[in-house]
Amino acid sequence: VPVRSNRKMLFICGVYRIDHTMNPELNEVDVRTLEAVGVLISSYLRKTELIQLTEADRIKTEFVTNMSHEFRTPLTLITCLLEEIKNNKSVILHKEEAGKFETVLQNTERIRQLIEQLLDITRLETDGEKLIVEKHNVGEFMTALYNSFTSLAKRNKVKFSYSLNSLSGETWYDEDKLEKIVSNLLTNAFKYTRDEVQLSVEVRTEGHSTDIIISVRDNGPGIPTEEQALIFNRFYRVKKAENASREGTGIGLYLVKKLVELHLGRIELKSNRMGSEFIVSIPASGSQYKIINIPASPLQIITDQITHSKGLRNNKKVKSTIILVVEDNSELNRYISDSLKDIGRVISSFNGKEGFDTAVHEIPDIIISDVMMPVMDGMSMLRNIRSNKITRHIPVILLTAR
């Protein structure tokens, strides 16, 4: 770099340690140069640290997703087999054995819920979770959700009340997100209550906006004032109350807050020594959402496409329904295949490439596939299926931790 004769350049090549005071002759330009170099160095260090943190977070997220997939595969098998035993009329369990069996089922479900919550948080923090708003009857939806918690209330000897006010027949919301929000709040309420939980739902119109207002109240010991601002933080756990049925994980309320915000809503906490109340408010009309993702009816699509598949196979004189299962875990593959054998002929493949080749040759009516597989993953297989004239009409169901 050319330097004019009337200017000076200062090069910092290292650090020289001294044990006595120095008074170097620095003019104003030298001082400004040193300040600029200091700013550049600190900026570089901050950017380097940010890059390292971002990379560490990416690796952590990928690890959580991959491990969750590994956990869910054997957990799915365990859960399904336990449910089969429970529903099998020929299996008679004694009272003590039935109690132990129910405990196993409950704890298996608990593990499944924790894995689901971790995956939900991972998707929310990486912007992988999308809002899918559709028109529903919120009264019917909340009544069904209330009924699913009545057995828990009876088991814990808790008075569980429910009220509906000013409900409109046409409300818009993401059913999956709202179910997770309310279920988490109710689970917390039953965990910390003394003997009463209240659920209330109201559709309220003010001006041009219509909101669904959901309140979950318990009569537990309440949340200390100094902790109320922290309970929505990730992994923060309120000090365990004496009557709490189990200690929390610190992810439920964090997940609730993130889901409420994704749903363009807000959540409020009111708590004292007489109990706690969580109030959720989300938009209820379609016009209040900037983007409404309304998917087509999957049942109608699948029905139409299965009819189309059978038409294409007429030349081969194949009459039975063909189901292709693509899953690299042999035990889960066998379980899914056995579960569907009464519907039609089931063909198994153990990776995406094998699945695509089979789809081209057999033209199945429907494909059920994993996503994370060796050789070719489920998404790559799906792209190949959609880009092939012979197979692009075939409906595909993906079963995945992602």
Side-chain angles (χ1 to χ4, degrees):
V1 179
V3 181
R4 294 181 182 177
S5 58
N6 61 343
R7 293 189 178 183
K8 295 180 181 179
M9 288 192 87
L10 176 65
F11 293 92
I12 300 178
C13 303
V15 178
Y16 176 65
R17 182 173 180 177
I18 58 173
D19 57 1
H20 60 277
T21 304
M22 290 182 65
N23 296 304
E25 295 181 2
L26 297 176
N27 58 32
E28 188 178 348
V29 175
D30 295 332
V31 172
R32 289 180 180 175
T33 304
L34 285 170
E35 289 176 348
V37 171
V39 169
L40 288 172
I41 291 173
S42 61
S43 176
Y44 170 77
L45 292 174
R46 283 197 298 271
K47 287 181 180 178
T48 303
E49 183 181 10
L50 181 61
I51 291 170
Q52 290 173 344
L53 288 172
T54 303
E55 180 63 15
D57 190 60
R58 185 193 64 79
I59 293 171
K60 180 186 69 174
T61 300
E62 189 174 322
F63 174 78
V64 169
T65 303
N66 291 339
M67 287 305 298
S68 297
H69 180 271
E70 294 302 319
F71 287 145
R72 289 182 75 182
T73 299
L75 188 62
T76 299
L77 284 167
I78 293 169
T79 305
C80 292
L81 291 171
L82 287 173
E83 289 291 346
E84 276 193 5
I85 296 171
K86 182 180 178 180
N87 298 326
N88 192 336
K89 302 294 183 182
S90 62
V91 178
I92 300 174
L93 298 175
H94 297 295
K95 187 175 181 180
E96 184 179 346
E97 292 173 335
K100 292 178 180 178
F101 186 82
E102 195 63 33
T103 301
V104 173
L105 263 179
Q106 289 173 10
N107 282 276
T108 305
E109 177 62 17
R110 173 67 177 157
I111 295 170
R112 187 194 67 78
Q113 289 176 354
L114 289 173
I115 292 173
E116 290 289 344
Q117 287 181 343
L118 284 172
L119 288 168
D120 286 337
I121 289 172
T122 300
R123 288 193 294 267
L124 285 165
E125 291 183 340
T126 56
D127 296 324
E129 191 73 21
K130 304 299 180 185
L131 193 66
I132 302 176
V133 179
E134 298 177 276
K135 183 169 66 175
H136 301 284
N137 186 312
V138 70
E140 292 178 1
F141 171 73
M142 293 301 299
T143 300
L145 198 53
Y146 162 76
N147 290 333
S148 68
F149 276 85
T150 53
S151 59
L152 177 63
K154 285 183 180 179
R155 188 165 64 246
N156 293 352
K157 297 180 180 179
V158 171
K159 181 183 177 183
F160 186 25
S161 59
Y162 173 52
S163 65
L164 299 169
N165 298 307
S166 306
L167 293 187
S168 169
E170 185 176 306
T171 47
W172 293 78
Y173 55 89
D174 186 320
E175 196 170 66
D176 176 64
K177 308 293 185 299
L178 190 59
E179 181 179 358
K180 289 174 181 176
I181 290 167
V182 179
S183 294
N184 270 286
L185 291 176
L186 285 173
T187 300
N188 261 10
F190 278 102
K191 190 190 303 180
Y192 292 104
T193 190
R194 292 187 179 94
D195 56 12
E196 185 176 357
V197 172
Q198 298 174 356
L199 170 65
S200 65
V201 186
E202 177 185 358
V203 177
R204 185 183 302 165
T205 301
E206 294 180 359
H208 297 290
S209 66
T210 303
D211 295 327
I212 301 172
I213 312 296
I214 301 167
S215 167
V216 176
R217 182 198 297 266
D218 65 68
N219 67 342
I223 300 168
T225 305
E226 64 273 13
E227 294 189 71
Q228 291 181 18
L230 304 172
I231 59 166
F232 293 110
N233 293 348
R234 183 172 57 172
F235 302 131
Y236 183 82
R237 295 185 293 182
V238 177
K239 294 176 183 177
K240 187 176 179 182
E242 292 180 2
N243 63 318
S245 58
R246 63 173 181 265
E247 191 172 357
T249 58
I251 59 177
L253 288 177
Y254 173 75
L255 176 61
V256 167
K257 187 173 187 295
K258 297 291 283 187
L259 288 172
V260 170
E261 290 172 349
L262 179 67
H263 217 301
L264 309 181
R266 60 187 184 277
I267 183 167
E268 179 186 359
L269 166 65
K270 296 179 180 178
S271 185
N272 53 44
R273 292 182 179 179
M274 303 301 293
S276 300
E277 180 183 14
F278 289 89
I279 303 169
V280 173
S281 174
I282 62 170
S285 62
S287 60
Q288 290 172 263
Y289 294 96
K290 293 180 181 178
I291 300 175
I292 301 178
N293 186 358
I294 307 174
S297 168
L299 182 59
Q300 186 59 48
I301 292 172
I302 290 173
T303 303
D304 293 344
Q305 291 177 342
I306 286 177
T307 303
H308 185 48
S309 292
K310 288 180 177 177
L312 290 176
R313 290 205 313 267
N314 281 341
N315 294 334
K316 295 185 178 183
K317 298 182 180 180
V318 178
K319 295 182 180 180
S320 65
T321 299
I322 296 178
I323 304 165
L324 173 60
V325 177
V326 189
E327 165 63 59
D328 61 312
N329 183 285
S330 57
E331 292 177 333
L332 188 56
N333 192 315
R334 184 170 62 252
Y335 180 80
I336 296 172
S337 300
D338 290 344
S339 301
L340 300 171
K341 64 184 179 183
D342 293 336
I343 298 174
R345 183 162 70 95
V346 182
I347 306 170
S348 294
S349 295
F350 296 91
N351 63 64
K353 184 179 184 305
E354 186 181 326
F356 174 67
D357 293 340
T358 304
V360 172
H361 184 262
E362 296 286 347
I363 314 178
D365 295 303
I366 193 166
I367 299 170
I368 300 173
S369 176
D370 189 13
V371 169
M372 300 169 68
M373 295 183 293
V375 184
M376 179 188 291
D377 63 29
M379 297 307 293
S380 299
M381 181 194 74
L382 181 57
R383 281 191 288 270
N384 287 345
I385 287 170
R386 287 289 171 262
S387 61
N388 188 294
K389 291 182 180 180
I390 300 175
T391 60
R392 63 187 178 191
H393 67 281
I394 302 174
V396 179
I397 297 175
L398 297 177
L399 309 176
T400 175
R402 292 184 180 274

